Amino acid sequence: MAKVALVTGGSRGIGAAISVALKAAGYEVAANYAGNDEAAAAFTAETGIPTYKWSVADYDACVEGIRRVEADLGPISVLVNNAGITRDAMFHKMTPQQWKEVVDTNLTGLFNMTHPVWNGMRDRKFGRVINISSINGQKGQAGQANYSAAKAGDLGFTKALAQEGARAGITVNAICPGYIGTEMVRAIDEKVLNERIIPQIPVGRLGEPEEIARCVVFLAADDAGFITGATISANGGQFFV
Ligand code: NDP
């Protein structure tokens, strides 16, 4: 029977590419999203992948959402924590709300989603948790103290949980994308993108969502069991750890 994979923020951007790639690799895929019903409906119509709406920032909603997915498709073997937001501001202008929204979604969201699936993975002696962090969690980024802190936290979470899951057949890994051409990045002023951002990327272009999806499929595989606690940097050579 096909393994079930759940992708948070799986209906748009990088998450959509991940959902599609996992489906193509033979998984039964569920894509979660937060509020963009129109994008989710279009995604399901195009791909046949069911979408489920709840916020990863809300623990109770995650428990209930995961219950629905498991009732429909079966136990979750692969969890991709991809949902993420930005609320950029220089620190002297950053509001407590901007801080909280980003940390609640991009960091606490990983606890909220992983905790309800963890015991099931332990019982079944198999699990793959793949966390989409960011280059800006590795190097820090001006204007993104909230985002950089949350994404760096994702890496600590990954390494700690990898140690806890290892004996139970659960791997926990992170991917740190550089600039990928999704709506999140295309929202950046075009002049800033072309004159300041792309010239910093040695390969000379933005990454494609499918290039991140390929890393996820690799880490999700049954025979990737010796890779855990790892961080894959996929950033066009922009930053080396
Ligand atoms: P997009 O803005 O294109 O898509 C974000 C997705 O996350 C949407 O499906 C959105 O749902 C969902 N989402 C947002 N908040 C929540 C929430 N609280 N609960 C559930 N789902 C939520 O983002 P990207 O594809 O660009 O980014 C995906 C991930 O990759 C993020 O974690 C991001 O930080 C990371 N990343 C992206 C980079 C890039 O260059 N794009 C670079 C490095 C990291 P809805 O459609 O309902 O709004």
Side-chain angles (χ1 to χ4, degrees), residues 12 14 32 34-36 55-56 82 133 147 151 177-178 180 182 185:
R12 284 200 295 123
I14 294 172
N32 146 272
N36 191 333
S55 172
V56 300
N82 164 79
S133 175
Y147 185 86
K151 291 294 188 181
I180 308 298
T182 65
V185 163

Side-chain angles (χ1 to χ4, degrees), residues 2-241:
K3 287 196 165 76
V4 176
L6 170 59
V7 183
T8 69
S11 60
R12 284 200 295 123
I14 294 172
I18 293 170
S19 298
V20 167
L22 285 170
K23 185 177 180 196
Y27 296 86
E28 196 80 57
V29 179
N32 146 272
Y33 71 103
N36 191 333
D37 297 321
E38 207 178 317
F43 176 76
T44 300
E46 192 185 322
T47 62
I49 295 170
T51 46
Y52 295 82
K53 179 175 172 176
W54 74 83
S55 172
V56 300
D58 177 341
Y59 183 81
D60 292 339
C62 291
V63 170
E64 173 54 20
I66 287 165
R67 193 199 59 73
R68 276 193 289 142
V69 170
E70 293 199 323
D72 291 349
L73 304 180
I76 293 162
S77 296
V78 178
L79 171 65
V80 185
N81 285 313
N82 164 79
I85 58 169
T86 51
R87 297 286 184 267
D88 294 354
M90 293 304 281
F91 189 63
H92 63 284
K93 292 187 177 164
M94 187 173 283
T95 64
Q97 188 64 20
Q98 287 172 319
W99 174 271
K100 187 172 166 11
E101 283 177 16
V102 168
V103 171
D104 284 356
T105 301
N106 297 10
L107 178 58
T108 309
L110 271 61
F111 173 85
N112 294 343
M113 285 300 303
T114 311
H115 196 255
V117 300
W118 190 250
N119 279 342
M121 288 180 175
R122 277 165 50 96
D123 290 346
R124 293 186 299 276
K125 297 268 178 277
F126 182 88
R128 298 280 183 263
V129 178
I130 300 161
N131 300 319
I132 309 301
S133 175
S134 168
I135 185 176
N136 291 344
Q138 296 174 298
K139 70 174 187 56
Q141 176 61 44
Q144 291 195 322
N146 50 1
Y147 185 86
S148 299
K151 291 294 188 181
D154 293 347
L155 299 180
F157 175 79
T158 299
K159 291 172 197 170
L161 216 56
Q163 295 174 46
E164 293 194 25
R167 287 291 165 92
I170 307 170
T171 67
V172 187
N173 292 292
I175 298 167
C176 285
Y179 286 98
I180 308 298
T182 65
E183 280 173 49
M184 189 187 265
V185 163
R186 303 255 179 229
I188 299 171
D189 181 70
E190 205 178 321
K191 198 169 147 66
V192 174
L193 254 186
N194 289 330
E195 291 177 14
R196 300 230 320 255
I197 293 180
I198 293 178
Q200 290 172 32
I201 306 172
V203 303
R205 62 171 177 86
L206 298 176
E208 297 295 332
E210 291 73 19
E211 293 177 300
I212 304 307
R214 194 165 302 146
C215 300
V216 171
V217 172
F218 168 69
L219 291 172
D222 286 8
D223 60 4
F226 205 58
I227 305 167
T228 193
T231 300
I232 296 184
S233 297
N235 60 33
Q238 193 185 344
F239 182 75
F240 304 118
V241 187

